Amino acid sequence: MASSLGGGAVARWQNQAMTDDLHLHDGFRMPALGFGLYKVPPDQAEEVVVAGVDAGYRLVDGAEFYANEAEVGRALGRIDIDRSLLTVTSKFWGEDSQDRAAVLASFEATERALGTAVDIYMIHWPRPNRNQYVDVWRTLIELRDAGRIRSIGVSNFTEEHITRLIDETGVVPVVNQVELHPYLQQEGLREFHRRHGIVTQAWSPLGRGRVLEDPTVAEVAAAHGVTPAQAIVRWHLQLGNSVIPKSTNPARLRSNRDVDHFALTDDEMAAFSKLERGQRFGTSPDERQ
Ligand SMILES: NC(=O)C1=CN([C@@H]2O[C@H](COP(=O)(O)OP(=O)(O)OC[C@H]3O[C@@H](n4cnc5c(N)ncnc54)[C@H](OP(=O)(O)O)[C@@H]3O)[C@@H](O)[C@H]2O)C=CC1
Ligand SMILES: O=C(O)C(=O)[C@@H](O)[C@H](O)C(=O)CO
């Protein structure tokens, strides 16, 4: 099993199921491993969600922007599972307006489309030039306090943005969903999250598929007899990230979740950490307004 990178290091995580829940600082829990729905075409979304839950995923990452929430809702209506076992997320897009009325309208549109409660609702982008994200956050707090959302979080927020939320409202997001993969490991932000009890959730965790051919990833994967995607998902989980790979291919969707039977060694984790190159495949937080 040990690769040349593994070198006999202690496999701290061996036999530990990494697909279990993470604890949120508001007392609720969230599965560490879920699947994402960005760019899942509406005519495939219903079947992807049914297949994902059937494969054992319990976290579904969606957003109004993905334009497939009605199909996700249809799938959730079909799935024969205790709803309390699922974590359904969505995000406020806010490109047109960020006023309270716009937040409420978007949230209600998502609720209607999904036909079920949103467990975790996030601000999709801080859009810092507009300077309204603290007010948007206040509206999310209001919705949470009214019992309409279980937990509230953010996405694409920097330390500076989160610090402002905390200083001005006293409410810490439960999660910050950010671009994170072996080529963009976000070490500083992860440390900041740790200090504040915020879960780091990795978007584009496979680098949109573009990290899968990396030679180090391939070597580690081969040593464990798994796919590069499985090795990367396992790396995320061992870092303590929540992770939401996307696939419209049922076999890949299933195998991306099948990561409890192997563990990266300390040396393999160290080899992954050397892959950092500050490379983004998506938009940066300050860029999108
Ligand atoms: N908050 C935010 O701003 C953002 C959030 N997200 C969230 O993160 C999720 C995942 O990010 P995403 O950008 O989709 O990128 P991912 O890193 O998850 O990569 C998805 C790509 O990898 C391919 N892929 C998946 N599994 C495998 C596999 N086992 N072998 C080979 N190829 C594979 C997919 O193709 P195929 O489907 O054909 O399998 C797709 O092309 C999104 O769906 C969304 O929920 C994403 C971007 C921004
Ligand atoms: O980052 C990009 O350039 C994208 O297209 C996506 O990340 C998109 O903006 C998004 O937010 C998906 O969740």
Side-chain angles (χ1 to χ4, degrees), residues 35-40 61-62 66 91 93 122 124-125 155-156 177-179 181 202-210 212 227-230 244-249 251-253 255-256:
F35 63 98
L37 291 160
Y38 180 43
K39 296 209 167 151
V40 174
D61 183 67
Y66 302 164
K91 315 181 190 86
W93 183 242
M122 296 170 232
H124 206 139
W125 290 89
S155 172
N156 299 302
Q177 183 185 110
V178 293
E179 180 173 353
H181 43 71
W203 66 252
S204 293
L206 311 175
R208 301 197 157 159
R210 283 177 258 177
L212 297 173
T227 66
Q230 286 172 305
I244 46 170
K246 167 261 177 189
S247 183
T248 47
N249 175 301
R252 290 201 282 269
L253 191 63
S255 85
N256 291 348

Side-chain angles (χ1 to χ4, degrees), residues 5-206:
L5 298 166
V10 179
R12 235 174 331 143
W13 301 96
Q14 203 75 52
N15 300 325
Q16 183 174 339
M18 299 298 299
T19 47
D20 292 346
D21 287 353
L22 296 172
H23 292 265
L24 304 177
H25 72 66
D26 64 0
F28 291 101
R29 301 194 310 179
M30 176 180 83
L33 178 54
F35 63 98
L37 291 160
Y38 180 43
K39 296 209 167 151
V40 174
D43 63 351
Q44 294 179 44
E46 183 175 345
E47 290 316 316
V48 166
V49 172
V50 169
V53 174
D54 189 51
Y57 291 94
R58 296 292 176 263
L59 167 63
V60 181
D61 183 67
E64 185 181 27
F65 178 64
Y66 302 164
N68 53 22
E69 290 195 311
E71 292 76 12
V72 174
R74 268 208 297 279
L76 294 174
R78 266 173 64 190
I79 291 163
D80 185 20
I81 185 171
D82 180 346
R83 174 64 180 83
S84 70
L85 296 174
L86 290 180
T87 298
V88 178
T89 77
S90 185
K91 315 181 190 86
F92 170 66
W93 183 242
E95 186 171 15
D96 298 330
S97 167
Q98 305 228 320
D99 295 345
R100 181 175 174 279
V103 180
L104 293 178
S106 287
F107 173 70
E108 284 162 7
T110 285
E111 257 188 339
R112 265 195 312 278
L114 290 174
T116 184
V118 179
D119 297 302
I120 305 179
Y121 197 55
M122 296 170 232
I123 305 177
H124 206 139
W125 290 89
R127 305 185 190 274
N129 288 0
R130 292 172 177 236
N131 197 23
Q132 281 186 284
Y133 60 83
V134 177
D135 288 334
V136 176
W137 188 237
R138 288 188 209 284
T139 306
L140 263 56
I141 295 169
E142 179 191 328
L143 286 165
R144 183 202 62 181
D145 290 350
R148 297 178 68 185
I149 307 171
R150 197 196 69 191
S151 300
I152 52 177
V154 293
S155 172
N156 299 302
F157 274 48
T158 63
E159 288 189 31
E160 183 195 334
H161 304 141
I162 293 177
T163 301
R164 260 195 79 191
L165 295 186
I166 298 171
D167 288 349
E168 296 186 34
T169 70
V171 178
V172 182
V174 296
V175 61
N176 187 18
Q177 183 185 110
V178 293
E179 180 173 353
L180 203 171
H181 43 71
Y183 293 167
L184 183 74
Q185 303 192 9
Q186 304 270 22
E187 197 181 341
L189 187 59
R190 283 191 284 116
E191 176 51 33
F192 172 83
H193 290 161
R194 254 193 302 279
R195 286 204 304 276
H196 290 277
I198 299 167
V199 168
T200 301
Q201 190 169 57
W203 66 252
S204 293
L206 311 175

